[in-house]
């Protein structure tokens, strides 16, 4: 795997790497990614679930019971549910968002993909997304998955981040640059 050592060196990365190895051997990487999509939504939509992840007063047993109940209600893959139980038993539930991000990065790298975070002032149309994805794939030399974000504060243009590389062609940045030039 060509994944950066920085990901697998972190605590979340080590958990994600171990889970990826298990999921890969069982042929369930895509299923786990789907489960993680649902868990990401649950964390964002449920303050109680988000609190469970970070509350040090919840005992290991209570946390394990709660995540197993979440697994049952959400119809998660048994591997995902067991993994959540391991995180709870090791008091690492707070690391779940980082584990999810690391797992996605490892899985994308294994597929030869790269993820680009694209921020725009307004949502992009489907044909704009397709064109942007094709141009970025040509530049990167491999498939590019887009994760889009809307931030009206950039005024217009877009900001693209792929790994540690960032291309900022937002109007806000251009205006700030012009203001700096005019001050000199």
């Amino acid at each position: 795997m060509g994944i950066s050592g920085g990901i697998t060196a972190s605590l979340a990365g080590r958990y994600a790497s171990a889970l990826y190895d298990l999921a890969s051997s069982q042929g369930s990487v895509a299923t786990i990614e789907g489960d993680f999509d649902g868990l990401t939504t649950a964390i964002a939509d449920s303050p109680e679930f988000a609190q469970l992840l970070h509350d040090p007063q919840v005992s290991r047993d209570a946390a394990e019971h709660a995540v197993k109940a979440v697994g049952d209600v959400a119809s998660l893959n048994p591997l995902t549910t067991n993994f959540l139980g391991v995180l709870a038993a090791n008091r690492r539930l707070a690391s779940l968002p980082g584990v999810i991000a690391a797992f996605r990065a490892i899985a994308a790298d294994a597929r030869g993909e790269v993820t680009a975070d694209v921020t725009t002032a307004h949502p992009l149309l489907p044909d704009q997304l397709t064109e942007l994805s094709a141009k970025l794939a040509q530049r990167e030399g491999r498939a590019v998955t887009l994760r889009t974000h809307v931030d009206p504060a950039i005024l217009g243009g877009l900001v693209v981040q792929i790994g540690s590389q960032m291309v900022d062609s937002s109007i806000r940045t251009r205006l700030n640059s012009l203001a700096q030039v005019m001050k000199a």
Side-chain angles (χ1 to χ4, degrees):
M1 231 183 304
I3 195 72
S4 154
I7 289 177
T8 55
S10 69
L11 176 74
R14 290 191 304 272
Y15 276 102
S17 182
L19 178 60
Y20 179 82
D21 290 344
L22 281 171
S24 181
S25 69
Q26 295 179 8
S28 59
V29 171
T31 304
I32 303 301
E33 285 183 292
D35 288 350
F36 280 168
D37 289 343
L39 285 170
T40 300
T41 301
I43 292 167
D45 293 349
S46 171
E48 295 84 11
F49 186 54
Q51 182 181 354
L52 170 69
L53 300 181
H54 299 286
D55 192 344
Q57 294 180 348
V58 176
S59 71
R60 291 175 196 244
D61 290 337
E64 282 184 76
H65 181 70
V67 295
K68 288 187 186 214
V70 167
D72 291 342
V73 168
S75 300
L76 299 178
N77 180 297
L79 180 58
T80 305
T81 303
N82 290 341
F83 179 74
L84 291 175
V86 168
L87 287 180
N90 292 335
R91 302 197 69 68
R92 299 288 190 214
L93 280 175
S95 299
L96 182 59
V99 170
I100 291 171
F103 186 90
R104 287 179 177 153
I106 292 167
D109 186 68
R111 289 189 300 265
E113 296 175 354
V114 65
T115 300
D117 284 304
V118 179
T119 304
T120 57
H122 304 283
L124 294 174
L125 299 173
D127 59 325
Q128 292 172 319
L129 289 170
T130 303
E131 184 179 343
L132 179 60
S133 182
K135 287 187 181 197
L136 291 173
Q138 182 181 13
R139 177 178 179 236
E140 293 297 313
R142 55 187 175 159
V144 176
T145 302
L146 299 180
R147 244 190 336 234
T148 59
H149 313 280
V150 175
D151 181 5
I154 70 168
L155 303 177
L158 53 94
V159 178
V160 178
Q161 183 164 0
I162 300 174
S164 62
Q165 299 176 350
M166 180 183 284
V167 177
D168 187 346
S169 64
S170 67
I171 292 176
R172 178 182 60 192
T173 299
R174 290 180 184 179
L175 288 173
N176 287 341
S177 297
L178 182 60
Q180 291 299 323
V181 168
M182 292 178 73
K183 284 182 182 177

